[in-house]
Structures are given as C-alpha cells and as structure tokens.
C-alpha cells in the first residue's frame, strides 16, 4: 500500500484530494518494527498516528495475571492519538 493510499483509508484524510494527500504523504516517516516489539505503551504521549502499510499489530492490555487482546490490526488499519 502506498503512503497516499494509506492516508486516504483514514477517515480524517478521506476527503482530501490527490495533491493534498501527496503533500501530507511527503511528511510521513516510515518506520519498521520487529515482531513482538512494543510500539507504544499506555502512558506514552499521544503525539502520533500510526498507519499500517503491511503486517499486523496486536493491541493488548497487560496485567500481572497476563494480557488481554483488545484488537488485531492489519494493513490499512490505523491507531494512535493526536
């Protein structure tokens, strides 16, 4: 999935035209993560939006007794707080 196509899949950006999507896509930072690598933690500042281009992300809540899976996200999905 190309960055501008990924942006268009996010409701916040879905009404933008191609030029506007290209402008924002040029500002994106592509980041790769290893399997089982923690991307964000509960108390991290909400200053980013993550758009999955490929792979899967498991959103969990960890407690002393174990972990609860909240969602499994895949290419085209997005998460984060801004």
């Amino acid at each position: 999935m190309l960055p501008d196509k990924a942006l268009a899949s996010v409701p916040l950006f879905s009404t933008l035209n191609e030029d506007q999507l290209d402008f924002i896509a040029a500002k994106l930072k592509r980041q790769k993560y290893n399997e089982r690598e923690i991307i964000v933690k509960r108390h991290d500042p909400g200053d980013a939006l993550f758009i999955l281009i490929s792979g899967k992300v498991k959103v969990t809540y960890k407690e002393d007794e174990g972990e609860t899976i909240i969602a499994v996200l895949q290419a085209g999905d997005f998460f984060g707080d801004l």
Side-chain angles (χ1 to χ4, degrees), residues 1-37:
M1 183 180 302
L2 298 172
D4 55 342
K5 300 293 185 210
L7 278 174
S9 72
V10 177
L12 177 66
F13 305 117
S14 63
T15 60
L16 299 180
N17 66 40
E18 189 174 333
D19 289 338
Q20 292 166 323
L21 290 171
D22 288 342
F23 177 80
I24 294 172
K27 310 269 185 224
L28 296 179
K29 177 183 172 189
R30 187 173 214 138
Q31 180 69 43
K32 290 185 179 187
Y33 295 94
N34 295 318
E35 187 173 341
R36 301 198 183 277
E37 184 175 354

Side-chain angles (χ1 to χ4, degrees), residues 43-55:
H43 297 294
D44 286 351
D47 60 356
L49 174 67
F50 295 86
I51 305 171
L52 276 70
I53 304 299
S54 64

